[in-house]
Amino acid sequence: MFIPTNPSKRTDAMKLLALAGKTVDRGNKRPGQLPNVGGNSEGNNVLQKLLEATFEQTKVLLQLLSKDTDIYLDGSSVAKGIHREVGKYQTQDKRISKRTIKGKVRR
């Protein structure tokens, strides 16, 4: 058995490949006796959509890779935020220390 490589014989080649995959005990069949394999436009449509989705996904991933991941902070804004939080903590600490006398909590 030989498989034609001529593009015009693509269908016959696919049929012969399918035949070669089958067991020998089923008898000899000619390419005309086998159903057409592949080559349907619906299958190609699905493959085309999958390929387009893969390209889109790759484009998004490349954009993520090229994104600037550095963090830029405004020093004064950070200082103000920290100052507020430290102030809250100190106020709370003063309240607790006023209620505590020599290790005992005043009520």
Side-chain angles (χ1 to χ4, degrees), residues 1 18-20 22-31 33-34:
M1 176 188 302
L19 177 62
K22 305 256 183 212
T23 57
V24 178
D25 61 341
R26 293 187 68 173
N28 290 334
K29 292 188 177 183
R30 303 302 302 159
Q33 297 170 313
L34 294 172

Side-chain angles (χ1 to χ4, degrees), residues 57-97:
Q57 181 182 29
T58 303
K59 193 166 81 172
V60 169
L61 290 173
L62 287 173
Q63 287 174 347
L64 284 172
L65 282 175
S66 66
K67 181 182 175 186
D68 182 17
T69 57
D70 292 341
I71 298 173
Y72 301 98
L73 298 174
D74 176 27
S76 62
S77 298
V78 173
K80 287 177 186 175
I82 291 173
H83 180 70
R84 257 180 287 181
E85 293 302 314
V86 168
K88 288 178 189 176
Y89 176 76
Q90 288 173 339
T91 304
Q92 180 183 9
D93 194 40
K94 284 179 186 176
R95 285 186 202 143
I96 291 173
S97 64

